[in-house]
Amino acid sequence: MDDKLNIVTTFLHNIIVYNIPLLYGTVGEITIEKSGSLNLGVEGTMAVGAIFGYILGCYANSMLVGILLAFLTAALCGLIFAVLTVTLQANQNITGLTITTFGLGVFFFVGNGVKAVSWPAMNNYPNIQNGFADLPIPGLSKIPVLGEVLFDHNILVYLGVVIALVMWWYLKYTRTGLRLRSVGENPAAADSVGINVRRYKYLHIMLGSGIMGIGGYYMGLNMNGSLSSSCWTNGYGWIAVALVIFANWSPAFAMVGTVVFGFFNTLRVSGPSLAGAFPETLGWLAGVPSQLYQALPFIITALVLIATSVKKSKHSGQPAALGLNYFREER
Amino acid sequence: MRVHIVKREDCPLLKKILLIVGAVALALVLGGLVLLAMGVNPLEYYFKMFTMGMVGNKIAYKAVENYLKILVPLILTALGLSLAFKMRFWNIGGEGQFIVGAIAATAVAFQVGPVLPTPVVLLLMCVAAMAAAGLLGLFVAALKVKFGTNETLLTLMLNYIALYFLTFLGETKADWNFFLNPDSARPTFASFASLVSFPRIMLGKFGLNICVIITVLLGVLVYVYLKRTKQGYEIAVVGDSMGTARYAGMKVSTIVLRTVFLSACLIGLAAAFKVGTAGILSTSFTDDVGWTGIIVAWLAKLSTVGIFLVSALIGVLQYGSTAAAATFASVDSSFADMLQGVILFLVLAADFFTRFRVVIAKKEVERHG
Amino acid sequence: MAEPYAVELRGITKTFGPVVANHNVNLNLRKGEILSLLGENGSGKTTLMNMLSGIYTPDSGTILVDGQPVTIASPKDAKRLGIGMVHQHFKLVDVFSAADNIWMGAQEAGVVLKKDRYQKIEEMAKKFGFDLDPRKQVCNMAVSEKQTLEIIKVLYYGAKVIILDEPTAVLTVQEIEKLFGVLRRMKEQGHSIIIITHKLNEVMEISDRVAILRKGEYITTVDTKDTNEQELTEWMVGHKIDLNIERPKMEKLKPLLEIRDLTIRSDEGNVAIDNVSFYIRGGEMLGVAGIAGCGQKELCEAIAGLRPIESGKMIHKGENIVGLSPKEILAKGISMSFIPEDRLGMGLAPSMSITDNMILKNYNDTKGPFVDRKAGREDAQRVIEELGVVTPSTETPVRRLSGGNVQKVLLGREIKAGPNVIVTAYPVRGLDIHSSYAIYNILNEQKKSGVGILFVGEDLDVMMALCDKILVLCHGKVMGVVHAHKTTKEELGLMMTGSLDLTHKYEDKPAGYAADTLFQEEGEEK
């Protein structure tokens, strides 16, 4: 019986471990979209954060350096996006897609370039290795099952949750958050009361991109540093874009969404072992094609999109000016 | 003195061209600096890239054949997307439509390939691919027309749903799954190249695939369709002012549905050409053509002629970098993606100066008009 | 005068591409006064005020606040200088509460949003004499509530100079009175107010002084008590309005278009046209007068088949056209042209050429799949020549033409189709006198050829001179139909504001029903 319990616990634990990058990506994208910009460059931005964060973090043998550089390099991608769409009024969809092309290009170029010389293996950098080790929260982690599932994780998991909570609070309960939302809803109104629309957009596009970058870094560490062309899990950035819709533009719901989407993601990997442990109740899991799990986040989001539009839902958190550039002298 | 930005309606064509050429040149210089830093002579690299390794190559015609293989789906996809974009319908579902089109074409190839004559099979493949992709587009358009569903995000989701469906077909061994190679223990896609494949016209050693000719013809057709036909006129009016289109008695919903269907059909046809030439599916066979197509259509400002030109350039970048990578082993082929990104960033930036005018405030303005 | 002006503008010029919106405008605002900024549509009032509020930057000229030259590069600068503007299209965030709409721009320190902001704002609103539910979301507010919120907002930010852009256009009579009460109270509290309007009665009622703009140029400023409506109108229009518009007399023809008991809802679901009946004869021009937004747009759209109706009949030559598609209505010879405020929104495709706009309504009449641009180009050439459109070529995109030429293109196309009913709304909106007369002549020519014309207009003088009869709308209801040569401006004004209802003048038949109708109800003997 213990074995079975272990399998369940591991499964639940893994939901969090493997899907925290989604949370980072989603919270980052929400931060950006709340300013009225639709950045489709999540995938590329996360990739840039991943490669620079990992390599430079290893070279410096410091996780803090890794986090910072992941954040900064990704924020630079955000800066490019902001310059092009906010100042130079370029189309947001095209710019976002280009960020993805560019970001993945940089990822492989730098990655393969470094690999050609010598790839830093995570095991050789004790500070990184230890920094990413699980950090049980005293007391709470002793709770049976729940303790291991929720309170026995590496520091970046906690950081992701903290960032999500802080962003939730920031958007909802601070005045800067209120102003940010006004920029995304009606930039002309925000402008007319003296809010610096451009500055808000720049800062939050960069902040959001930076948060995504940490998510990319997490992926690199979680793969034990085996970042390579075959290991880069294509699609996390896109799932994040979907998750934003699923979470109705709320960082708090993004946590719920991460668990829901993560559940399917993890089931893909753990399905067979669960089926083995509970042949009577969960045996059917073995027969479910893994691609269905991969597609489910997108299927669910598509359904959410359709359902909200059919219902003409008024409670949508989608910023009214999402995807539209603001030009003050528009006539 | 303060800088101040105003919209402009007219920008001389020459200035536009100069700006774009300047942007591309600047991007190449930036890329060149990266190459220099790696100890590679940028001139040699670019020469190899832009000539696609054909100079001094005995089998240069092969390079042209392969280059055209990249070009055909890209042009057709961008042409298709441009139809929808002209109406301000942001179909970014090129990937998904391309995939379902290819699956449909492949299914036809396997099912009727062995029994019917090749030309009929090829025709059926095209029709099936167009129908499958078209219906997927129609589905989104219908939701958009009826409920105002956000087409950008929905087509985005459908891209991945289609992709994982393709992966499912490619990785699931089962009796019903005729897409796979029955002789292989591991699931791999089966080839139908021996059954059917698009014919080539041999010009000496060089084989001109019939798809190339059809693509050029379709380009002319799309051009005429947009510029000369009533339906093309309707697309232009709907894209320019939906209110005016309604006012003129146009059935806007019908026009949107029809155009998005056609848009997706072209993408489906692109997929049929791609898979019908390769003779086999693969999970990465799209080469991101759905994404690149969006960028091509946009850079070309939705002009049909422009799409051919921009596709040709992007094709050179993509194919040329592979060719250059063969010579310059130290430069990864992903350099092209990066370079492409930088080129696009700078072109997007240059575009600003064609749409806006930067003026220095506090000068006397003469009155006219 | 020793005390500096609250605001002074010197030599302000602003252009948008080839269009000069303001040219060398001077304006001053005394402390504690209400200044009316008067001018026709398109005279540059809003543009000028947008430069005070930081939306636009002037190309040249100086702005002085309290006697000090200032640069207003953004709304933030304006706010800091104590200038607040209530825009015609409210700048509010729909999904925010009233309080948050104010709070988002408030100056007080404080990182965290506290619940007491609702109370603070409610109290502050009370202080200024407003009733405001601070928790109410903007999207649930009525128009007048939104306006009140906008006013409270600028007051909260400490504006000493308050600009209101056509605040009365969207209000009912009672609401206007209430607003004027508010403005007077604000004036007593020492605020300086600029109110943009083109309604003379309001100018006379509320303002201390009147500044007049015409075609983007400053004309003069006068004390309200020393002037009268006639004089103001002259300044506004430019010369004494002996309009001298021709009104050809036609013999009475059968009714062409009859509207019976028509009720239409607006996009927001309110009743926009309320049980309206009227008819137009061939060779007759019927004017429609009313304050902006009284259902004119909805009426036009309904006749053209663009808007479903709630109930009633629309009878064309004895046949009910309710439920027909825009195309079918077009085929019956009913032409509708509506010049919206931005002039390009409906009826024209701005990025497309004159030729392409010419064929908009008949591109589908030819056989085969191809568009016949040759005929379109000939039509375009003809319209350009006959109506004197100034354009480089027939292939110039319409958006590059100036306003008058755009409207000529639009009307030229409508007439070219040979309609028997022309519905035209604001055809001279923003045009100079010369172009306006050209348009009147075009319409008169049509009238002479037996076409029935519904002329939705703004300028009462024009309608009284041009139209045969005038129908007055007030909040979607018909206040009566009067003979243009018999009525007076006062009478029309009273009807427009709902103080005079002439619909029951004739008891013998239902108001607005034609006695000699061509329409027969089923089973009805005639």
Side-chain angles (χ1 to χ4, degrees), chain B residues 2 4 9 224 227-230 233-234 236 240-241 244 246-250 362-365 367-368, chain C residues 18 57 59 217 306 336 345 347-351 356 359-361 363-364 366 368-369 371 373 399 413-414:
Chain B
R2 283 182 328 96
H4 165 220
E9 294 293 351
V224 172
K227 293 272 178 192
R228 295 270 177 268
T229 68
K230 290 173 181 172
Y233 177 76
E234 287 171 342
D240 200 24
S241 165
T244 298
R246 280 209 187 87
Y247 163 87
M250 294 180 186
K362 305 217 166 159
K363 63 168 192 204
E364 207 58 47
V365 178
R367 176 157 195 187
H368 52 93
Chain C
T57 8
D59 297 343
E217 302 202 40
L306 294 166
M336 193 276 275
L348 291 171
S351 309
D356 278 359
I359 58 175
L360 186 68
K361 284 184 172 175
Y363 72 95
N364 218 356
T366 53
V371 169
R373 279 203 177 71
R399 71 156 87 236
R413 181 188 69 208
E414 295 305 312

Side-chain angles (χ1 to χ4, degrees), chain A:
Chain A
M1 198 62 211
D2 265 2
D3 271 0
K4 291 188 175 180
L5 190 64
N6 265 340
I7 287 173
V8 172
T9 314
T10 312
F11 170 64
L12 295 177
H13 181 86
N14 282 349
I15 290 179
I16 292 175
V17 173
Y18 285 100
N19 295 289
I20 282 293
L22 281 182
L23 183 62
Y24 279 102
T26 309
V27 171
E29 181 68 6
I30 289 174
T31 311
I32 296 174
E33 290 195 15
K34 276 290 173 188
S35 80
S37 296
L38 179 64
N39 182 352
L40 293 181
V42 189
E43 185 85 359
T45 309
M46 285 177 82
V48 166
I51 198 75
F52 286 110
Y54 181 76
I55 292 177
L56 299 174
C58 283
Y59 287 167
N61 191 15
S62 151
M63 201 153 106
L64 188 64
V65 170
I67 294 174
L68 277 179
L69 280 162
F71 182 91
L72 286 177
T73 48
L76 269 177
C77 289
L79 181 63
I80 296 176
F81 184 83
V83 169
L84 286 172
T85 62
V86 179
T87 301
L88 299 181
Q89 305 276 326
N91 179 294
Q92 295 180 9
N93 290 345
I94 306 295
T95 311
L97 291 178
T98 309
I99 295 270
T100 290
T101 310
F102 174 74
L104 291 176
V106 168
F107 176 88
F108 290 124
F109 183 75
V110 172
N112 292 342
V114 170
K115 216 171 279 167
V117 185
S118 131
W119 181 256
M122 193 159 146
N123 313 348
N124 298 342
Y125 301 94
N127 286 351
I128 307 267
Q129 191 87 328
N130 298 335
F132 197 63
D134 282 352
L135 210 67
I137 295 179
L140 288 175
S141 57
K142 296 283 179 289
I143 306 171
V145 185
L146 215 58
E148 194 189 327
V149 172
L150 295 178
F151 303 110
D152 188 7
H153 288 288
N154 65 69
I155 191 149
L156 282 180
V157 172
Y158 302 130
L159 181 67
V161 174
V162 167
I163 289 177
L165 288 174
V166 167
M167 285 314 295
W168 171 74
W169 173 79
Y170 171 77
L171 284 171
K172 202 163 173 175
Y173 293 108
T174 70
R175 226 183 38 184
T176 347
L178 179 74
R179 289 181 172 170
L180 173 66
R181 281 185 284 142
S182 77
V183 169
E185 291 289 340
N186 186 343
D191 195 14
S192 77
V193 301
I195 295 169
N196 191 331
V197 173
R198 206 176 291 175
R199 183 191 300 158
Y200 267 78
K201 284 192 168 240
Y202 262 88
L203 284 178
H204 290 93
I205 289 171
M206 289 175 69
L207 173 67
S209 299
I211 294 174
M212 293 172 191
I214 302 178
Y217 181 46
Y218 182 104
M219 285 177 83
L221 294 181
N222 201 40
M223 291 170 189
N224 208 14
S226 61
L227 285 171
S228 74
S229 45
S230 57
C231 275
W232 177 254
T233 326
N234 194 355
Y236 264 50
W238 293 113
I239 300 179
V241 175
L243 245 174
V244 171
I245 303 160
F246 181 79
N248 198 24
W249 288 265
S250 155
F253 276 115
M255 296 195 287
V256 179
T258 302
V259 172
V260 173
F261 284 21
F263 176 80
F264 297 119
N265 246 345
T266 315
L267 211 50
R268 179 167 63 95
V269 184
S270 310
S273 64
L274 282 172
F278 306 95
E280 274 135 51
T281 44
L282 297 177
W284 54 275
L285 274 178
V288 180
S290 71
Q291 296 81 10
L292 182 63
Y293 294 124
Q294 289 174 293
L296 265 174
F298 300 104
I299 295 173
I300 294 171
T301 307
L303 292 177
V304 167
L305 260 176
I306 296 169
T308 48
S309 66
V310 170
K311 264 182 21 202
K312 295 269 173 279
S313 170
K314 274 196 171 172
H315 299 288
S316 168
Q318 179 173 351
L322 183 64
L324 307 172
N325 287 339
Y326 176 60
F327 182 58
R328 188 190 280 157
E329 297 210 1
E330 195 77 68
R331 293 233 297 173

Side-chain angles (χ1 to χ4, degrees), chain B residues 69 72-73 98 101-110 118 121-126 129 190-200 209-211 267-282 285:
Chain B
K69 270 186 204 161
V72 164
F98 196 85
I103 293 174
T106 311
V108 168
F110 279 121
T118 303
V121 177
L122 287 174
L123 195 68
L124 283 177
M125 281 169 71
C126 292
S191 165
F192 57 84
S194 55
L195 290 174
V196 279
S197 136
F198 281 98
R200 298 189 306 168
N209 198 309
I210 194 156
C211 298
I267 297 169
L269 187 63
F273 283 0
K274 170 99 188 184
V275 81
T277 307
I280 188 166
L281 272 175
S282 95
F285 82 107

